[in-house]
């Protein structure tokens, strides 16, 4: 069966520090991969999605970037965090139709 | 671009009341449509889905019908329970394989 791992679960980072969130999927090949952000009391904002290694589509230009160095690995990064980057970040994968989500990372930028 | 609009919350109902959460979409082509649920302190789970027009998705007493003529996918349940309290998200997946979500509707069911 397929599983998705996302870490860390919580993270507190100072403004201006770098960020790296990692997501890996097991049990499937060539999945579609997604990064979402859920701000407090708000919906899910699609940040990036990838349909293959090295293929990244950016939905909203901002202080973040994504990379897919391996088929089942998706990384969300920032060189310098802003206060507005605080939120709940969710990784997801899909193959044919529905998406399956990781447990999320709660990021607080202080 | 493709997008999903769902009714603003929060929604508060008494146990056994009828629930409707409206969802409409804008998309080219023939997207697949989904409802996800997020229980307090948990991640998102798929509740139901429909992949073509006139399909009805159903699960745990919830239903939604893919209406292409009205570009809608409204979520309904005939009798809600306290355990249904959660945030509900409508979503679509288009031909580009991106998945877009609505803003979410928080449902609180009181005993």
């Amino acid at each position: 069966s397929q599983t998705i791992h996302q870490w860390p679960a919580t993270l507190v980072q100072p403004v201006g520090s770098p960020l790296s969130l990692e997501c890996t999927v097991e049990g499937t090949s060539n999945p579609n991969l997604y990064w979402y952000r859920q701000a407090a009391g708000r919906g899910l904002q699609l940040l990036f999605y990838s349909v293959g290694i090295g293929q990244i589509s950016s939905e909203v230009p901002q202080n973040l970037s994504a990379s897919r160095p391996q088929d089942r690995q998706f990384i969300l990064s920032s060189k310098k965090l802003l206060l507005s980057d605080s939120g709940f970040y969710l990784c997801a994968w899909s193959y044919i139709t529905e998406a399956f989500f990781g447990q999320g990372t709660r990021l607080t930028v202080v | 671009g493709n997008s999903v609009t769902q009714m603003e919350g929060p929604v508060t109902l008494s146990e056994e009341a009828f629930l409707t959460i409206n969802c409409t979409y804008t998309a080219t082509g023939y997207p697949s449509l989904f409802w996800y649920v997020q229980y307090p302190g948990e991640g998102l789970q798929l509740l139901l889905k429909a992949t073509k027009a006139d399909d009805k998705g159903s699960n745990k007493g919830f239903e939604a019908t893919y209406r292409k003529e009205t570009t809608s996918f409204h979520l309904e349940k005939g009798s809600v329970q306290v355990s249904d309290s959660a945030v509900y998200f409508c979503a679509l997946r288009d031909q580009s394989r991106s998945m877009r979500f609505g803003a979410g509707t928080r449902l609180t069911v009181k005993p």
Side-chain angles (χ1 to χ4, degrees), chain A residues 46-76:
Chain A
L46 177 62
L47 301 176
F48 302 95
Y49 70 98
S50 171
V51 300
I53 295 175
Q55 301 177 61
I56 309 294
S57 296
S58 174
E59 287 292 301
V60 183
Q62 52 197 316
N63 186 39
L64 301 168
S65 62
S67 61
R68 185 171 177 172
Q70 300 179 42
D71 181 44
R72 291 170 287 178
Q73 184 185 29
F74 204 26
I75 298 171
L76 182 69

Side-chain angles (χ1 to χ4, degrees), chain A residues 83-96:
Chain A
L83 287 174
S84 57
D85 292 324
S86 294
F88 189 52
Y89 289 82
L90 286 158
C91 180
W93 75 273
S94 74
Y95 192 63
I96 302 296

Side-chain angles (χ1 to χ4, degrees), chain A residues 32 34 36 38 42-44 46 49 59 90 94-99 101, chain B residues 34 36 38 43-44 46 49 51 89 93 96-103:
Chain A
N32 304 306
Y34 309 86
Y36 292 89
Q38 186 177 23
R42 302 182 67 179
L44 282 170
L46 177 62
Y49 70 98
E59 287 292 301
L90 286 158
S94 74
Y95 192 63
I96 302 296
T97 54
E98 68 264 30
F101 284 82
Chain B
F34 309 87
Y36 281 80
Q38 186 178 32
L44 271 77
L46 177 68
K49 67 179 180 181
T51 57
F89 293 91
R93 175 189 159 115
S96 73
R97 288 174 273 176
S98 68
M99 284 203 66
R100 302 171 193 281
F101 286 75

